[in-house]
Amino acid sequence: MSSMQEQLKNLKDEAIIALNEINNKDSVMQWRSKYIGRTSKLASVLKNLKDIPQEQRKDVGQLVNAIKKDLESAYLQRIDDLNNLDIDTHPSVEIDISLPGMPSRNGGLHPITTALNKTLDVLSKLGFSSIEGPEAETSKYNFDSLRIPDDHPARDMWDTFWLNASDADDPLLLRTHTSPMQIRFLEENDPPIRIAVPGKCYRYEATDATHEWMMHQVEILAIDKNISISNLKGTLQSFAYEMFGLDAKIMLRNSYFPFVEPGVEMAVFFRGQWLEVMGAGMVHPDIIKAAGYDPSVYTGFAAGMGIERIAMLLWDIEDIRYFYQNDLRFLNKF
Ligand code: PHE
């Protein structure tokens, strides 16, 4: 190997060692001009190739070009590494503290979570403690114990997501409402009872601006001696005032649910019309009896409210479908 070639190899080694010691981008630029730039040693060797003896010229020329290529790619690699170090905020990387800060993107609660929390807060002030029930429910609790037999027309709207791997006599389905917890809770607990049951429910539903096939409900159940429909009315009224403010206009009108007698629905005035936000009523005497209590002594009321509807009222949202489209333009407003 000629001394020329040896010198070039040493130069390459030196360059690589120097490059690896560099830890900021400015110094990398200086390194580049020193080792591969127009005024570098390599460049001058190339420029002076004609002074090299004829028989070595070709080899030296090729070697210089190969070294140049290697250094060039080592240089690019180093820049890359430094960029990555920047991200990891490596302590030895110079940081320009005069640059404007990067806004941090904080997560937030989904509006439905916020509305649900607010609902449970208000209900807790009214004396209801919250408890959850199963989302996959048996047909017995979802329907039969609530006085909705197989051939009842209410099942049509609630003929929903049935789960395959379940008992044919008492099949499982995604619950259509939170009312099954009325029965489950009554089976295990004695009056006085005041519970709020939050949870997701699923329906066989053609979606539109006020209907979704999945939604959240909060069920309330109060069982005690001497509970009358005026307690129901007073509770719902207080609830509405706490949730929507004292100028909220609410209306109770007759409705039918097999597990209450009488049944009502509560609507709130919204965007020029009445929006139904819950079904309610006095717990049916048969249900009290089935739980082992005398319905002439124990009475109670129940209600099931739709949290998406409540959220629509809270923030003046005209279409329920916005909640689950995962559109950040919408979600970022909360
Ligand atoms: N479970 C009923 C529904 O989903 C609402 C309701 C609850 C009605 C409790 C009366 C009493 O529509």
Side-chain angles (χ1 to χ4, degrees):
M1 197 190 292
S2 75
S3 72
M4 183 68 184
Q5 283 161 313
E6 214 161 317
Q7 271 179 34
L8 284 169
K9 290 207 164 124
N10 288 341
L11 181 66
K12 179 186 171 186
D13 292 345
E14 175 197 318
I16 294 288
I17 290 169
L19 183 62
N20 285 332
E21 277 166 9
I22 288 173
N23 54 20
N24 67 71
K25 285 180 214 152
D26 284 348
S27 312
V28 176
M29 300 310 282
Q30 285 164 15
W31 178 93
R32 188 179 190 284
S33 68
K34 180 169 172 194
Y35 289 101
I36 40 184
R38 270 182 300 118
T39 57
S40 65
K41 261 189 225 164
L42 274 186
S44 75
V45 174
L46 270 183
K47 220 178 290 162
N48 301 323
L49 216 50
K50 59 181 184 326
D51 303 334
I52 292 174
Q54 175 80 52
E55 64 285 4
Q56 285 179 26
R57 208 175 284 164
K58 193 173 157 220
D59 287 348
V60 172
Q62 277 175 355
L63 182 61
V64 172
N65 279 323
I67 291 178
K68 200 172 162 195
K69 228 170 115 194
D70 287 351
L71 292 184
E72 192 77 49
S73 67
Y75 157 81
L76 291 175
Q77 181 63 50
R78 191 71 192 138
I79 293 267
D80 232 34
D81 292 349
L82 288 175
N83 282 338
N84 289 337
L85 283 180
D86 266 357
I87 295 167
D88 299 342
T89 60
H90 192 276
S92 58
V93 173
E94 283 168 20
I95 294 168
D96 182 352
I97 58 167
S98 68
L99 286 173
M102 305 260 275
S104 66
R105 298 182 22 131
N106 291 337
L109 293 180
H110 190 279
I112 293 304
T113 306
T114 306
L116 188 59
N117 290 345
K118 184 167 175 169
T119 302
L120 293 174
D121 271 1
V122 169
L123 289 173
S124 127
K125 281 192 212 165
L126 294 172
F128 294 86
S129 22
S130 63
I131 173 162
E132 288 180 41
E135 203 166 309
E137 189 51 281
T138 63
S139 181
K140 174 185 150 207
Y141 285 108
N142 196 81
F143 297 124
D144 304 86
S145 323
L146 287 164
R147 308 182 69 255
I148 311 171
D150 251 344
D151 55 356
H152 197 284
R155 285 216 185 188
D156 288 348
M157 173 174 103
W158 288 348
D159 191 9
T160 171
F161 301 89
W162 294 92
L163 305 185
N164 278 338
S166 54
D167 176 1
D169 289 337
D170 190 13
L172 281 172
L173 72 158
L174 296 183
R175 68 178 163 206
T176 60
H177 53 172
T178 41
S179 300
M181 255 320 256
Q182 290 186 29
I183 309 293
R184 286 183 179 276
F185 198 82
L186 268 169
E187 279 177 357
E188 309 268 320
N189 299 275
D190 296 326
I193 286 169
R194 301 222 187 332
I195 53 163
V197 186
K200 287 195 183 81
C201 306
Y202 303 81
R203 297 237 171 126
Y204 181 63
E205 193 91 69
T207 58
D208 63 22
T210 52
H211 295 84
E212 259 293 6
W213 58 269
M214 188 281 292
M215 37 109 195
H216 293 73
Q217 281 192 338
V218 172
E219 187 87 7
I220 61 178
L221 175 69
I223 309 269
D224 209 339
K225 290 178 180 157
N226 295 321
I227 291 195
S228 74
I229 197 162
S230 44
N231 298 118
L232 168 63
K233 225 177 130 185
T235 304
L236 295 188
Q237 183 119 63
S238 309
F239 173 77
Y241 287 163
E242 283 277 338
M243 284 301 287
F244 309 120
L246 290 177
D247 53 354
K249 269 204 270 178
I250 65 163
M251 170 166 69
L252 293 183
R253 55 189 168 195
N254 269 28
S255 189
Y256 173 73
F257 303 93
F259 38 95
V260 290
E261 180 61 42
V264 295
E265 62 186 34
M266 186 179 107
V268 177
F269 199 68
F270 174 64
R271 290 177 167 260
Q273 46 188 329
W274 293 97
L275 182 65
E276 192 204 320
V277 296
M278 68 177 84
M282 300 307 291
V283 176
H284 198 285
D286 286 357
I287 287 179
I288 306 234
K289 214 185 292 169
Y293 301 99
D294 178 355
S296 67
V297 179
Y298 285 100
T299 48
F301 64 78
M305 43 190 95
I307 300 304
E308 280 74 5
R309 300 268 180 102
I310 285 176
M312 290 171 78
L313 294 170
L314 284 176
W315 297 295
D316 193 21
I317 294 161
E318 79 260 13
D319 197 315
I320 199 170
R321 289 167 293 195
Y322 289 149
F323 290 120
Y324 303 113
Q325 285 168 346
N326 271 343
D327 187 335
L328 283 178
R329 288 169 301 177
F330 174 77
L331 295 176
N332 278 338
K333 295 198 193 308
F334 299 92

